[in-house]
Amino acid sequence: MARKRGMQYIPYDYEAAYNKAMEDMHEWFIENLFQHRKKVIYALKEITAGDQFEIEIYPQFRSMDEVPPEGRTIKKDNNKAQKNLNDKNARKYVERLINENFSDRDIWMTLTYDDEHLPPDGDVDAAIKNVQKYIRRINYQRKKRGLPNAKYVYVTAYNPDAEIRWHHHIVMDGALDMETVESCWKQSSRNEVRRLQTDENGLSGMANYIVEEKNRVPSEKRWNSSQGLRDPRIKVVHSKRPAAGGSYKKIGSFVDKMVKDRDSIPETLKKWYPDMDFTNAAVYYNDFNCMFYIHARMRKRRSTGEKTNKTDKTGIEKSRFI
């Protein structure tokens, strides 16, 4: 019966609906929000992608009239056909897809063009055909070596207004040696191929870098992936135990404390997920209905002595041991 009731809640874009950050808000303002809200059901979405773990806490509604106007669009999670990186949900999906399917054993390359092979301005189809030919050459070389077809995610970057030349970012499994991987690209000799390096955010820094907004052109379908990649795992619940062995409580019963005292968020999450290390969290609100959206990131705890990497936003730097 509970599952049937859950189906009655309407999907909406809760990130767009709650887009005002609670950082440095005065205590009086927060108390005022509490006084003007209605009682609603809060959901907790758990997203697992490789070692990365995210939670999203948001209110659910039975009518679109109750949703803030900014969020009154249908939220499409993990829509594989959605290849337009202008949509933030597509960018999030690409980030999670990379975290779920790739690791330090794999590679990240940036493939460029010399003047002789540069695609015409705005001709994204011509650029994508070049990537597809490249993937075919890669798979030919892999077949010669008895390897299966490559696993990959690629993003095509170009924006004439920002003076960004055509280039392609590709994340690929590392079964084929990097010299052969680079030699299969025929459009330029000035490319960059390197091993992926994870940090406390997994591969999210690199993934966000390759889909960043400055590289986008409206309505262009510019990312794609190989078949057979694992989807991030998503679970939605409406209650949690405050600690091991305790009784379950509705998610909404935890929200007030998380909003009033943001320092309590890592403490609460540690009790919910004792095998995870907290990374960061943020609280957002909307004065349309005075409700909240909470997003937090965690990471699967590493064992002592396991190798990790300290990296910049592009995922390149030195390794260390913890």
Side-chain angles (χ1 to χ4, degrees):
M1 294 297 294
R3 187 170 294 180
K4 288 184 178 180
R5 287 197 297 271
M7 291 295 289
Q8 296 176 13
Y9 296 116
I10 59 169
Y12 73 102
D13 192 341
Y14 45 81
E15 281 187 279
Y18 307 96
N19 55 14
K20 299 178 181 178
M22 293 291 294
E23 291 181 10
D24 302 322
M25 284 294 177
H26 192 277
E27 185 177 343
W28 173 88
F29 179 82
I30 297 173
E31 289 292 342
N32 192 54
L33 287 176
F34 286 136
Q35 293 174 12
H36 290 86
R37 63 181 174 167
K38 295 180 180 178
K39 186 176 181 180
V40 297
I41 297 293
Y42 273 88
L44 167 67
K45 179 179 287 186
E46 301 171 337
I47 307 109
T48 305
D51 288 343
Q52 295 303 296
F53 184 74
E54 297 173 71
I55 65 142
E56 297 178 332
I57 297 175
Y58 56 95
Q60 290 186 313
F61 305 101
R62 300 181 187 276
S63 167
M64 194 62 82
D65 292 338
E66 300 176 277
V67 175
E70 300 92 334
R72 291 178 186 176
T73 56
I74 300 299
K75 188 176 178 65
K76 297 178 180 179
D77 282 329
N78 296 356
N79 184 350
K80 294 180 183 179
Q82 187 180 32
K83 304 299 182 186
N84 184 354
L85 284 173
N86 291 279
D87 189 295
K88 68 179 182 300
N89 294 323
R91 299 198 302 276
K92 279 199 316 182
Y93 179 64
V94 171
E95 174 194 340
R96 292 166 179 170
L97 194 67
I98 289 173
N99 272 308
E100 174 65 19
N101 289 278
F102 300 95
S103 70
D104 291 352
R105 297 184 297 272
D106 302 318
I107 57 178
W108 166 33
M109 67 199 84
T110 302
L111 304 177
T112 64
Y113 291 87
D114 56 32
D115 291 339
E116 183 180 350
H117 295 94
L118 198 64
D121 286 347
D123 193 348
V124 68
D125 291 335
I128 289 176
K129 284 180 181 178
N130 288 329
V131 183
Q132 292 170 341
K133 290 178 182 177
Y134 170 74
I135 296 295
R136 287 196 291 270
R137 294 189 196 105
I138 288 287
N139 285 335
Y140 173 75
Q141 293 295 330
R142 291 171 69 105
K143 185 176 180 180
K144 285 173 58 176
R145 293 161 173 78
L147 297 171
N149 284 347
K151 294 195 310 180
Y152 61 85
V153 173
Y154 72 74
V155 174
T156 298
Y158 167 73
N159 191 335
D161 297 331
E163 297 182 356
I164 296 173
R165 284 170 66 99
W166 287 109
H167 61 281
H168 308 279
H169 295 290
I170 306 180
V171 180
M172 183 180 292
D173 75 85
L176 191 61
D177 67 274
M178 290 192 287
E179 184 177 353
T180 303
V181 165
E182 184 172 10
S183 68
C184 288
W185 181 252
K186 308 298 183 183
Q187 273 65 37
S188 172
S189 59
R190 299 181 62 185
N191 305 299
E192 192 170 6
V193 182
R194 59 280 211 198
R195 289 286 171 191
L196 287 171
Q197 293 186 339
T198 57
D199 60 11
E200 64 274 12
N201 293 310
L203 298 172
S204 294
M206 179 275 298
N208 281 308
Y209 174 76
I210 69 177
V211 299
E212 62 184 339
E213 194 160 330
K214 73 175 184 179
N215 289 341
R216 296 190 283 116
V217 177
S219 301
E220 286 187 353
K221 297 179 179 179
R222 297 195 298 93
W223 78 270
N224 214 325
S225 63
S226 56
Q227 295 182 348
L229 295 184
R230 298 184 305 272
D231 279 332
R233 287 147 287 162
I234 295 177
K235 181 181 178 182
V236 178
V237 299
H238 293 90
S239 61
K240 271 289 185 185
R241 289 179 177 176
S247 58
Y248 282 91
K249 293 185 177 181
K250 293 180 178 180
I251 296 301
S253 66
F254 299 96
V255 170
D256 285 10
K257 185 177 181 181
M258 288 180 167
V259 172
K260 292 179 180 179
D261 178 13
R262 260 85 83 203
D263 291 337
S264 72
I265 296 177
E267 298 172 9
T268 301
L269 297 184
K270 185 177 180 180
K271 294 176 181 177
W272 289 358
Y273 311 106
D275 297 330
M276 299 284 179
D277 287 325
F278 176 82
T279 302
N280 56 57
V283 180
Y284 305 89
Y285 75 98
N286 190 300
D287 45 22
F288 173 84
N289 55 16
C290 301
M291 293 175 193
F292 308 99
Y293 161 59
I294 300 170
H295 176 267
R297 289 179 181 270
M298 306 184 77
R299 179 174 174 79
K300 201 175 295 182
R301 181 168 297 121
R302 295 175 179 269
S303 59
T304 303
E306 185 178 352
K307 187 178 178 182
T308 188
N309 300 300
K310 185 179 172 103
T311 67
D312 61 14
K313 71 171 184 175
T314 64
I316 308 172
E317 214 175 271
K318 294 183 179 180
S319 301
R320 62 185 174 90
F321 287 84
I322 57 174

